[in-house]
Amino acid sequence: MATAVRNTDCLHARSSDALLICEHCDTVYRRRPLARGEVARCVRCGAELDRHRALSVNALLALILTAMIVFVQANIWPIFTLGLNGQFSATTLWGMIVTMWEQGAQVVAVLAAGTLFFFPMTKMMVMGWLLWFARMGRRAPGFAPLMVALHRIGPWTMSEVFVLGALVAIVKAHTYFEVVADPGIYAYGALTLLITIFAGVDMRQLWEQTPEPKP
Amino acid sequence: MSALPRAVDLGLIGCRMCGLVCRNVAGNAKLDGDGVGDAMACPRCGSTLRRRKTNSYARTWALLIAGFILYIPANVLPIMRTASLNDVDDNTIISGVVELWTNGSVDLAIIVFLASIVVPMLKFLSLGMLLVSSQRGSDWARPQRARLYRLVEFIGYWSMLDVFVVALLTALVRFNVLSRVEPLPGVIFFGLTVVLTMLASMSFDPRLIWDGRNTDD
Ligand SMILES: [Zn+2]
Ligand SMILES: [Zn+2]
């Protein structure tokens, strides 16, 4: 648990790295180093305040590069194939998006393109770019706006929901068709695993880990 | 005031984008952050600093009600059509769940039921309750309400499940006259409901739960 700040503490600076504010209830805490695996929780509301950073910048970068490779695979290979009386039908993610557009569900096509392709891709590319420079101890060009953009697109990536959706679709189709799993579904499975690891990483640590540029 | 001071009381603001703790130099920013002329930028990331999310109550209500209105056609209208040689069948969200259940996939039927029915309903009820209780400044079950909000935020996007199922089946079941799947308007309404409820839970400011008349614990 981080220590709560007393009313009497003098806070003269315009901003402070030593303090932490709970985003869920506005309680102010004094930051303190955390032990391995430790998570600091807000005493008032129970929300997570801070957690030990188990992964170094190098490890994060390696994970991001892996995720990018897996993401490309997940997008170029068919997800699964259906067979009926010797006819076969397969689709990739983009095949699915284009079909929805042509079938009059443009809203769904746009939602799928955003949450399954553009936002995850942007997120990974931005993270890779920021981490690449952080590794060299610098802030990447465009650091501040990119960090803000990363924070904004965070909730709009849905690859893990898509994997569960594919599973449901396979089971539904299985009643009427022959179903063959294709490489795309395995790539998506691996991607979900990587996303789960990333879920615990707060990229905002880069604000503290990289030096402020001299004005 | 107890040993847990809040940023509002100390004249501090946490940047919602980068987390930096800043001094509220303007000092007179209104509680819901829509005061004019007191916009202060975060010295680190440049985002506008606000004590509370802008117009949180009005925005959350509007998005929640809009989401609820669209949720009605999403459930009443069919979400997809399965057509084969001698049979055309329109499926709603509920009939999809029933079909999974009767075909023996009880576990998946439960997952789809949770994602498509329980999660949206939980969002409407929870956010509605959080809005009403916070607007009245109630100090009832604050820690539980805070936890409920975090739950709603965490599980909200899983409702997109059925939309992806319909999209995948549409793209795959294309055997000309033998067997085809087409999306129907229900799925569009459902996708929009999910987006609107996600926006609603993002617009709600959980700090409002603790802003009531008695901030002491
Ligand atoms: Zn808190
Ligand atoms: Zn900031």
Side-chain angles (χ1 to χ4, degrees):
Chain A
M1 221 64 75
T3 349
V5 172
R6 271 180 233 290
N7 276 344
T8 46
D9 282 339
C10 285
L11 303 158
H12 287 305
R14 252 195 97 204
S15 67
S16 169
D17 279 342
L19 298 179
L20 201 62
I21 296 179
C22 174
E23 289 178 26
H24 286 257
C25 72
D26 222 20
T27 305
V28 185
Y29 293 93
R30 195 164 283 292
R31 221 185 258 281
R32 66 169 183 79
L34 298 172
R36 202 176 171 76
E38 198 182 351
V39 176
R41 290 198 168 275
C42 175
V43 186
R44 194 192 297 266
C45 77
E48 185 179 315
L49 290 170
D50 196 11
R51 59 164 64 217
H52 175 76
R53 282 111 196 214
L55 295 168
S56 66
V57 167
N58 275 325
L60 278 175
L61 189 62
L63 268 174
I64 276 291
L65 292 176
T66 316
M68 279 176 166
I69 295 166
V70 174
F71 183 75
V72 171
Q73 305 301 316
N75 278 284
I76 57 174
W77 295 102
I79 298 154
F80 57 95
T81 304
L82 295 188
L84 182 70
N85 303 338
Q87 282 186 57
F88 291 94
S89 162
T91 190
T92 58
L93 177 72
W94 273 99
M96 178 187 100
I97 293 167
V98 170
T99 311
M100 284 313 265
W101 183 277
E102 289 169 353
Q103 293 288 314
Q106 288 87 353
V107 173
V108 174
V110 170
L111 279 178
T115 60
L116 301 175
F117 184 78
F118 289 110
F119 294 143
M121 189 187 65
T122 312
K123 193 171 171 177
M124 283 188 281
M125 282 176 26
V126 169
M127 281 173 93
W129 173 256
L130 296 174
L131 287 164
W132 179 260
F133 281 88
R135 194 171 154 264
M136 301 184 291
R138 303 204 271 127
R139 284 190 178 179
F143 184 83
L146 287 175
M147 286 291 282
V148 172
L150 203 56
H151 194 67
R152 283 187 191 279
I153 60 175
W156 298 102
T157 59
M158 301 192 184
S159 305
E160 57 272 41
V161 182
F162 182 68
V163 175
L164 190 59
L167 200 68
V168 174
I170 287 178
V171 170
K172 284 198 168 195
H174 190 70
T175 323
Y176 310 98
F177 309 96
E178 204 184 308
V179 180
V180 188
D182 288 321
I185 189 77
Y186 297 113
Y188 260 108
L191 190 64
T192 306
L193 206 69
L194 288 164
I195 288 171
T196 316
I197 301 172
F198 279 116
V201 177
D202 187 1
M203 281 293 281
R204 292 203 270 182
Q205 60 182 278
L206 288 186
W207 284 109
E208 282 106 47
Q209 286 174 355
T210 53
E212 199 98 34
K214 313 244 165 353
Chain B
M1 197 64 220
S2 65
L4 293 172
R6 303 182 68 211
V8 169
D9 307 320
L10 297 179
L12 298 174
I13 299 186
C15 172
R16 73 191 190 291
M17 287 299 167
C18 74
L20 186 68
V21 177
C22 305
R23 241 180 117 66
N24 182 6
V25 199
N28 55 353
K30 286 207 299 199
L31 258 192
D32 55 0
D34 58 356
V36 185
D38 51 21
M40 208 175 98
C42 169
R44 190 157 74 171
C45 74
S47 311
T48 309
L49 292 172
R50 300 179 202 284
R51 288 197 197 179
R52 295 292 177 266
K53 292 176 187 170
T54 310
N55 261 328
S56 181
Y57 288 130
R59 279 191 193 181
T60 313
W61 272 122
L63 290 162
L64 198 65
I65 292 168
F68 186 72
I69 291 170
L70 294 187
Y71 189 58
I72 298 167
N75 274 286
V76 176
L77 296 177
I79 56 169
M80 70 175 184
R81 168 170 294 166
T82 51
S84 59
L85 269 182
N86 40 22
D87 184 33
V88 174
D89 196 9
D90 288 355
N91 299 267
T92 58
I93 289 171
I94 284 286
S95 76
V97 174
V98 172
E99 191 202 316
L100 275 171
W101 184 283
T102 50
N103 286 337
S105 317
V106 174
D107 39 3
L108 280 180
I110 293 172
I111 289 175
V112 175
F113 181 72
L114 285 174
S116 306
I117 310 282
V118 177
V119 170
M121 286 314 288
L122 184 77
K123 284 180 100 168
F124 294 128
L125 293 173
S126 306
L127 282 174
M129 184 272 278
L130 288 169
L131 283 165
V132 170
S133 57
S134 303
Q135 276 179 310
R136 300 170 82 192
S138 162
D139 60 356
W140 166 75
R142 279 184 168 144
Q144 288 76 15
R145 278 155 61 204
R147 214 175 305 141
L148 182 66
Y149 174 73
R150 294 201 295 274
L151 177 75
V152 163
E153 243 206 333
F154 181 72
I155 59 175
Y157 73 117
W158 285 93
S159 298
M160 209 59 107
L161 185 67
D162 249 352
V163 176
F164 295 149
V165 173
V166 171
L168 268 171
L169 290 176
T170 305
L172 280 163
V173 185
R174 310 211 67 73
F175 298 98
N176 300 319
V177 288
L178 277 181
S179 186
R180 258 166 354 108
V181 168
E182 285 161 20
L184 290 176
V187 75
I188 295 169
F189 287 110
F190 192 70
L192 291 173
T193 301
V194 179
V195 171
L196 286 170
T197 54
M198 280 180 73
L199 290 171
S201 74
M202 283 175 205
S203 318
F204 181 73
D205 194 327
R207 292 169 293 194
L208 296 172
I209 296 173
W210 306 87
D211 276 348
R213 288 180 289 272
N214 324 301
T215 23
D216 269 344
D217 338 12

